[in-house]
Amino acid sequence: MAARQQAVADQRVFAKAHNNGDQVAGLERAVRNIEAHCTEADLFKGQQQRVAELKEEVNERLLELQAVRVSGKPDKIANKQTKREEARIRLQAAQNEREALSKLLTP
C-alpha cells in the first residue's frame, strides 16, 4: 500500500509542476481510494493471482510450441519460442515482485 501511495504521490508532484489540475484531482482521488480500499494483504493476494495466471500462460505457450514443432516449420517454431520466452520473462518479473511484497509484509 505504501509503495502504491508513493507512486501516486510522485505522479501528483509531477502533475502539479506541470499545472495539470485535472490530473492532480484524479491522483488525489486515487490516494483516497488507496487509503480506503487497499491493504497490503490485498495487494499480495492480487500478485499471487497474477503469478498463477502467468504460469498458466507459460504452460499454454509451451503446448503451442510443442504443437508447432510437430509441423516442422522453422518460422512458426521461432515465433512460438519467442512468445513463450516473453511469457516466461513476465512470469519471472511477477514472481520477483511477489517475493519483494512478501519480504515487506513479513516482519
Side-chain angles (χ1 to χ4, degrees), residues 47-65 83-84 86-88 90-92 94-95 98:
Q47 191 62 25
Q48 284 183 308
Q49 182 175 350
R50 183 166 181 254
V51 166
E53 290 168 359
L54 288 170
K55 280 182 181 180
E56 187 175 316
E57 180 183 353
V58 168
N59 290 335
E60 288 173 9
R61 298 289 184 196
L62 178 60
L63 292 174
E64 291 172 359
L65 176 59
K83 287 185 178 187
R84 180 176 175 264
E86 290 169 353
R88 192 195 60 74
R90 286 193 306 275
L91 172 60
Q92 185 62 50
Q95 288 172 329
R98 181 188 62 187

Side-chain angles (χ1 to χ4, degrees), residues 12-27:
R12 189 172 50 181
V13 168
F14 184 80
K16 281 183 180 179
H18 290 84
N19 296 320
N20 192 338
D22 291 337
Q23 187 177 15
V24 170
L27 292 168

Side-chain angles (χ1 to χ4, degrees), residues 67-84:
V68 170
R69 281 185 176 154
V70 171
S71 73
K73 295 181 181 177
D75 57 332
K76 287 189 176 187
I77 293 171
N79 184 17
K80 295 296 182 182
Q81 284 176 326
T82 300
K83 287 185 178 187
R84 180 176 175 264

Side-chain angles (χ1 to χ4, degrees), residues 1-13 27 31 34:
M1 182 169 84
R4 225 178 234 188
Q5 285 177 320
Q6 185 60 48
V8 172
D10 292 345
Q11 290 175 5
R12 189 172 50 181
V13 168
L27 292 168
V31 168
I34 290 169

